[in-house]
Amino acid sequence: MTTSTSTSTSTRLTPDQLDALGAEMDAIRQRVLADLGEADADYIHGVVRLQRRLEVAGRALFYLPPAWPVAVAALSVSKILDNMEIGHNVMHGQYDWMGEPGLSSRMYEWDNVCPSEQWKYSHNYIHHTFTNVLGKDRDIGYGILRMDEDQPWHPYYLGNPVYALLLMVFFEWGVAMHDLEVENIVAGRRTLADNKALHAGIMRKVRRQALKDYLLFPALTGPLFPLTLAGNATANLVRNVWAFNIIFCGHFPAGVATFSEEECRDESRGHWYYRQLRGSANIDGGRLFHLMTGNLSFQVEHHLFPDLPARRYPEISGEVKEICERYGLPYNTGPLGKQLVSVARKICRLALPDRRRAQQPAAQAQPAAA
């Protein structure tokens, strides 16, 4: 296991401790599942209503040119809520227990160019099963960034900051292209033919989103087409930038650990929980901030309990933190500014060869003192 800073301590638990940790986490999960009910249903229904009203208001205000900034703001918040608090969480199956088709993980399609079925495989299965396992979790760097010291350095990574900026701006497109594994095609580990089954779904969703945001709704505003087109593009940009930063702050700040495949072979339930705790980070904030992040500001709790309604994460976070303290495990959390700076530093630092590793061969070559 490695951490993102050399000063971080690695607390290793015994098999018995891991089993006890797993039992405590399972107990939290079962308690919350048993308590799900009307309050949870009312919450998600309220968020859906708010998202729809904001979208209607935003699109209606595009007919009033002086209100363009307000229209963009309303549509931006609508898209953020759709992707973060509604889409992401619904597709995790957090509201399947309600039995409502509109909130079913099997049927929900979000306002994003990435097809929901494709996202559920790469995110729900690959990422949440193999969280921060190098060589298995492709969310570590999304196939284009170097985000861990154990990723071998290559001159290509000198562009790390530029690639990160482009991924942030075009984040929904990066997520849509994620399953194509372009980096493995370049490396010869995958062929274009392997992606053939994905092409139809991606292109169908891209056409749908492009038609909606860049042709149909702008055309409905007649002579205001250019302003509406620019407004829709701006709202998508705002959503992309927000989602990128929240997700990266929950996965890549200092102190987040990665694991080797060997460490996770024949993994126990307790070790899986341990890996989620060590491989995630939270972002401090108020209720509105947590709503806007889809409660993914509680990324630690989300990785521990991805199928629990995210609105429950704040209420169990204190218990999770207390468990971490008892087991001597770090509970990684901090304000948005701190986590952003930490992630930015890592992106820039890992663009360069690791100095410690570069110095090791030279030190080993030094003759021993007489």
Side-chain angles (χ1 to χ4, degrees):
M1 178 182 65
T2 61
T3 54
S4 58
T5 59
S6 59
T7 58
S8 296
T9 58
S10 172
T11 302
R12 295 190 180 274
L13 303 183
T14 66
D16 287 343
Q17 288 176 314
L18 289 172
D19 288 343
L21 174 69
E24 292 199 56
M25 293 300 176
D26 280 341
I28 293 174
R29 181 175 182 275
Q30 291 304 318
R31 187 183 72 238
V32 175
L33 285 175
D35 189 52
L36 296 180
E38 186 177 357
D40 302 281
D42 289 345
Y43 173 83
I44 192 61
H45 286 150
V47 175
V48 170
R49 285 195 299 270
L50 174 62
Q51 182 272 325
R52 290 175 178 172
R53 289 169 181 170
L54 285 168
E55 181 175 9
V56 170
R59 297 201 183 280
L61 287 171
F62 279 130
Y63 288 91
L64 302 172
W68 189 87
V70 180
V72 171
L75 189 58
S76 298
V77 174
S78 167
K79 286 178 175 287
I80 288 170
L81 289 175
D82 174 89
N83 277 198
M84 306 290 277
E85 183 64 280
I86 304 172
H88 173 277
N89 294 337
V90 166
M91 289 191 292
H92 260 296
Q94 295 180 7
Y95 297 96
D96 283 356
W97 56 274
M98 293 171 58
E100 295 186 15
L103 295 172
S104 168
S105 62
R106 291 178 289 109
M107 302 175 67
Y108 193 85
E109 189 61 67
W110 58 351
D111 183 15
N112 192 296
V113 295
C114 180
S116 61
E117 286 301 318
Q118 178 183 313
W119 181 86
K120 283 185 287 188
Y121 173 76
S122 61
H123 182 80
N124 291 5
Y125 172 62
I126 297 295
H127 173 59
H128 277 275
T129 302
F130 305 107
T131 307
N132 279 25
V133 178
L134 287 164
K136 300 289 285 186
D137 183 4
R138 294 188 61 253
D139 280 18
I140 302 176
Y142 286 81
I144 60 174
L145 298 171
R146 184 174 184 242
M147 296 303 299
D148 189 85
E149 289 88 343
D150 284 339
Q151 289 176 271
W153 184 84
H154 185 277
Y156 161 84
Y157 290 119
L158 290 171
N160 232 30
V162 176
Y163 310 147
L165 178 62
L166 291 173
L167 180 60
M168 178 176 68
V169 172
F170 300 103
F171 192 54
E172 65 171 322
W173 298 90
V175 173
M177 300 296 110
H178 193 36
D179 270 3
L180 298 180
E181 300 186 29
V182 175
E183 78 281 6
N184 286 328
I185 293 176
V186 173
R189 294 187 294 269
R190 188 178 177 91
T191 67
L192 292 174
D194 293 330
N195 289 335
K196 191 173 182 180
L198 298 173
H199 292 164
I202 293 175
M203 292 310 300
R204 183 166 54 249
K205 191 65 187 294
V206 166
R207 284 194 298 268
R208 172 180 165 179
Q209 291 298 114
L211 178 66
K212 174 176 68 73
D213 276 344
Y214 304 128
L215 182 59
L216 178 60
F217 279 112
L220 289 175
T221 59
L224 299 176
F225 183 105
L227 278 176
T228 306
L229 174 65
N232 287 344
T234 302
N236 282 328
L237 173 64
V238 171
R239 184 269 321 281
N240 288 347
V241 171
W242 178 256
F244 172 92
N245 282 291
I246 295 303
I247 291 168
F248 269 57
C249 284
H251 292 82
F252 304 119
V256 170
T258 57
F259 299 78
S260 68
E261 292 185 54
E262 290 73 23
E263 288 177 279
C264 302
R265 190 170 289 119
D266 300 323
E267 185 176 52
S268 68
R269 180 70 170 166
H271 191 274
W272 183 87
Y273 278 124
Y274 170 80
R275 179 159 52 84
Q276 308 309 312
L277 283 168
R278 298 303 318 278
S280 313
N282 286 359
I283 313 169
D284 300 335
R287 291 181 62 184
L288 178 60
F289 173 76
H290 294 314
L291 170 66
M292 290 293 289
T293 69
N295 281 292
L296 295 179
S297 42
F298 293 95
Q299 194 69 231
V300 172
E301 287 70 24
H302 174 60
H303 273 95
L304 291 169
F305 312 110
D307 61 343
L308 293 184
R311 68 174 290 268
R312 296 295 192 120
Y313 297 155
E315 72 182 51
I316 63 176
S317 62
E319 190 172 355
V320 171
K321 184 176 181 180
E322 187 273 330
I323 290 173
C324 287
E325 290 173 352
R326 280 196 285 109
Y327 284 87
L329 300 174
Y331 184 82
N332 194 332
T333 189
L336 179 61
K338 175 187 174 183
Q339 303 291 50
L340 280 173
V341 169
S342 177
V343 171
R345 284 176 175 169
K346 178 186 284 191
I347 290 171
C348 294
R349 176 170 56 83
L350 293 179
L352 304 174
D354 186 46
R355 287 176 295 177
R356 290 171 299 170
R357 295 187 180 186
Q359 291 168 356
Q360 284 175 358
Q364 293 168 359
Q366 293 293 326

